[in-house]
Amino acid sequence: MSHPGESSEAIPRDFTHIDRLFDLWMGDPGFRSAVTGPSEGLATILAQSRVELQAEHLSPFVRVFEVAARAGADSPGLEAELKKAPIGRAWLDWKQARTEAYEAVQATRLATGIARVDTWRKRQICRVNSEAYPAPYDFAPPLFAFELSKGCSKQCWFCAFSPPTLQETFLHTRENAELWRDVVESMHGLFGAAMHSSVLFHATEPTDNSDYLEFLSDFHAICGSYPHTTTAQPLKDVEWTRRLLAMRSANPAIRDRFSVLSVKSLHDIFRAFAPEEMAHVALALHNSGALTSKNHCGSALRHARRLNSEQEILQQYRHSHTAPQTTLECTIGYLVNMVDRTIELISPTNASDQWPLGYIVHGEGRFDDAGSFLAFVRRSIEQVMRDSLPGRDPVALRAHLCFESATDGFVLTSRYRRHELKGNAHFALLGRLLSDGRHCAEEVAHELANDGMPVLTAVAWLERLYQGGLLREAR
């Protein structure tokens, strides 16, 4: 079964090798040093990493890396430098086309067809984009995150979810497989194409479950797609990983991801898998010396000195500064542990004493079979997912929004965004009433009407702010 955005066209060979070049630049301090050093050192690293490019295709990228070493990896001139070469322009055009195809697929995976669910999830996306994500969502947030193990064997020092050590796995026995298929079938029947956004891991490592690929196959048989997989152990069983890569090649709408924990493992991965084999794999570079940032939440907060040291390395290659992200969560939907048979309705938020793992729990329960699973989901939709602003509940600005009054309105500033509502004589009063937080929506609309704003206009502006994720709502 194919889906929008999938392509049967082969990815040009050289482009996969260029991708690997950039992974080396981002992940290996030794490669960055070699770029500006003797050519022999660079040639050795490229050969060991199985990068094979003709000199005329390699040299434009080496020049870009040299510029990045001087001007910074976020220098605005890098793309212009790359466009000077035909291979650079071709690669950039291909990357743009791949991004557009990916976005087209994501657009098909957001809507569930249930108005209350879709309205609630869109509202959470607006909130999360304001308070918790430096860059807006560019993907459909997972509707389900299924954990097929309890705990995780890796225990990465920076893990945002701080899982316990591995305790038990949900094996693909006859009983478990029946429960799994029943649950997936019932949710696919309820939510349709939005199920394609689901993942089969969370605070877990997929390779911990020896039957993980069987569960993937079941999901594909029911829903028609293979969920995205992130693994930190692609070398634990290379043949297992090749089976995973084969599944993705047959369903290439999205890419899987390998988490890289050391420079050595980066090069071990490159030796084990040719660039062409990893055409549908992205790397999450968590190793020391990588030019990627780590989230400030979960286990990482117990290693503040190491975390800050790695951020200092990153700043050597970046001139811009963004406040650290304090959540890794991306699910707006249900977190399910198949071992414990627990289910939670969650959404991302900044890590705090109340929500230390970077996600809000809006509701939680247990299930014994697909029937009780479905009952919880339906109950959570009814009890939690409001489709409009309640008229009699107190209405107030979302927590952690900085309110600033203006003569013709007000400004709200969050961790990553600035929201302005100006240009109407009544907006200043609206801002003061919301900042005060002691009135219900009906009272706010009444006060605005007394001030001269048509009551329907007042109600519409309140609803707009609510759906924009700027107002507090019951968890």
Side-chain angles (χ1 to χ4, degrees):
M1 181 183 298
S2 62
H3 299 279
E6 292 188 8
S7 173
S8 59
E9 296 180 8
I11 295 175
R13 172 196 174 278
D14 278 7
F15 292 169
T16 64
H17 289 250
I18 293 168
D19 279 349
R20 182 158 294 190
L21 269 183
F22 276 83
D23 287 333
L24 283 167
W25 167 259
M26 294 295 293
D28 182 6
F31 178 81
R32 295 195 291 271
S33 297
V35 164
T36 56
S39 59
E40 295 83 1
L42 179 60
T44 298
I45 294 177
L46 294 177
Q48 292 173 343
S49 301
R50 302 174 70 174
V51 174
E52 300 172 359
L53 290 168
Q54 296 178 6
E56 62 268 27
H57 286 177
L58 175 63
S59 57
F61 296 94
V62 174
R63 283 198 300 272
V64 167
F65 295 148
E66 290 171 344
V67 172
R70 296 192 304 270
D74 55 357
S75 171
L78 296 183
E79 185 171 323
E81 178 68 28
L82 196 51
K83 286 182 176 179
K84 293 178 181 179
I87 184 65
R89 293 194 298 272
W91 180 72
L92 288 171
D93 288 345
W94 170 74
K95 279 177 61 69
Q96 179 62 30
R98 181 170 66 177
T99 298
E100 291 173 357
Y102 172 80
E103 290 174 347
V105 170
Q106 296 304 306
T108 69
R109 297 182 169 194
L110 182 59
T112 67
I114 302 174
R116 290 175 70 97
V117 178
D118 293 339
T119 300
W120 182 81
R121 294 183 83 215
K122 289 177 182 177
R123 191 164 64 246
Q124 303 316 308
I125 289 174
C126 290
R127 174 183 59 78
V128 173
N129 282 340
S130 172
E131 75 178 23
Y133 277 18
Y137 266 99
D138 61 353
F139 56 91
L143 178 61
F144 282 90
F146 293 100
E147 295 181 322
L148 302 177
S149 305
K150 182 177 181 179
C152 178
S153 66
K154 292 303 294 178
Q155 297 298 298
C156 299
W157 69 268
F158 54 83
C159 183
F161 300 129
S162 301
T165 57
L166 181 63
Q167 298 172 43
E168 188 178 349
T169 57
F170 184 75
L171 296 177
H172 199 265
T173 63
R174 178 181 297 180
E175 178 184 356
N176 287 349
E178 181 178 354
L179 173 62
W180 169 247
R181 295 183 191 117
D182 287 348
V183 165
V184 174
E185 284 176 353
S186 66
M187 292 303 98
H188 187 241
L190 183 63
F191 294 122
M195 281 296 288
H196 295 306
S197 66
S198 301
V199 294
L200 274 58
F201 66 95
H202 188 257
T204 51
E205 163 54 44
T207 62
D208 283 346
N209 190 317
S210 58
D211 295 336
Y212 178 85
L213 298 181
E214 280 63 50
F215 290 106
L216 274 186
S217 295
D218 286 345
F219 190 98
H220 180 268
I222 295 166
C223 299
S225 64
Y226 291 110
H228 162 83
T229 294
T230 292
T231 176
Q233 298 196 113
L235 301 177
K236 179 180 179 180
D237 182 342
V238 171
E239 292 311 309
W240 181 97
T241 303
R242 286 204 165 92
R243 285 180 61 199
L244 176 69
L245 297 179
M247 290 177 173
R248 181 56 59 217
S249 294
N251 183 207
I254 58 175
R255 293 197 291 170
D256 290 322
R257 186 168 52 195
F258 294 168
S259 291
V260 178
L261 306 182
S262 68
V263 174
K264 179 181 182 302
S265 67
L266 176 67
H267 286 284
D268 288 344
I269 290 169
F270 287 166
R271 279 191 289 270
F273 302 102
E276 296 87 345
E277 290 183 277
M278 292 178 59
H280 302 297
V281 176
L283 296 184
L285 297 164
H286 296 303
N287 56 284
S288 180
L291 302 185
T292 53
S293 57
K294 291 182 173 64
N295 293 329
H296 288 229
C297 54
S299 299
L301 298 181
R302 298 196 297 269
H303 304 273
R305 181 176 298 179
R306 183 173 181 181
L307 182 63
N308 292 333
S309 175
E310 296 205 358
Q311 296 303 107
E312 290 172 3
I313 294 173
L314 177 62
Q315 290 307 314
Q316 294 175 13
Y317 288 86
R318 289 187 179 176
H319 297 152
S320 60
H321 177 73
T322 302
Q325 186 170 328
T326 63
T327 181
L328 183 63
E329 189 56 68
C330 57
T331 301
I332 299 180
Y334 298 93
L335 172 59
V336 180
N337 186 279
M338 297 299 295
V339 175
D340 286 342
R341 300 192 182 185
T342 57
I343 180 170
E344 298 174 319
L345 177 61
I346 68 171
S347 67
T349 191
N350 290 318
S352 64
D353 290 341
Q354 182 181 14
W355 308 115
L357 300 181
Y359 59 84
I360 300 165
V361 179
H362 302 272
E364 55 190 324
R366 300 182 63 84
F367 62 94
D368 297 314
D369 52 29
S372 55
F373 191 102
L374 177 61
F376 173 85
V377 170
R378 290 193 182 281
R379 189 164 59 250
S380 69
I381 294 171
E382 180 65 27
Q383 295 177 353
V384 177
M385 300 184 186
R386 293 172 168 173
D387 53 6
S388 60
L389 179 64
R392 298 300 302 168
D393 288 359
V395 60
L397 295 172
R398 196 185 73 224
H400 308 301
L401 279 175
C402 180
F403 171 80
E404 179 184 350
S405 183
T407 55
D408 61 343
F410 58 95
V411 177
L412 302 175
T413 305
S414 67
R415 186 177 181 87
Y416 298 112
R417 304 286 182 273
R418 178 181 172 88
H419 309 273
E420 293 188 359
L421 192 64
K422 295 182 178 181
N424 185 302
H426 308 290
F427 285 166
L429 174 60
L430 172 59
R432 290 195 299 272
L433 292 169
L434 294 176
S435 179
D436 183 57
R438 294 185 301 168
H439 308 277
C440 70
E442 292 178 359
E443 291 169 340
V444 172
H446 180 74
E447 291 290 330
L448 289 169
N450 287 341
D451 195 52
M453 176 181 276
V455 65
L456 292 180
T457 302
V459 171
W461 276 109
L462 283 169
E463 187 66 22
R464 182 172 176 176
L465 292 170
Y466 180 66
Q467 298 301 346
L470 296 173
L471 303 185
R472 187 180 303 160
E473 62 179 302
R475 298 306 187 197

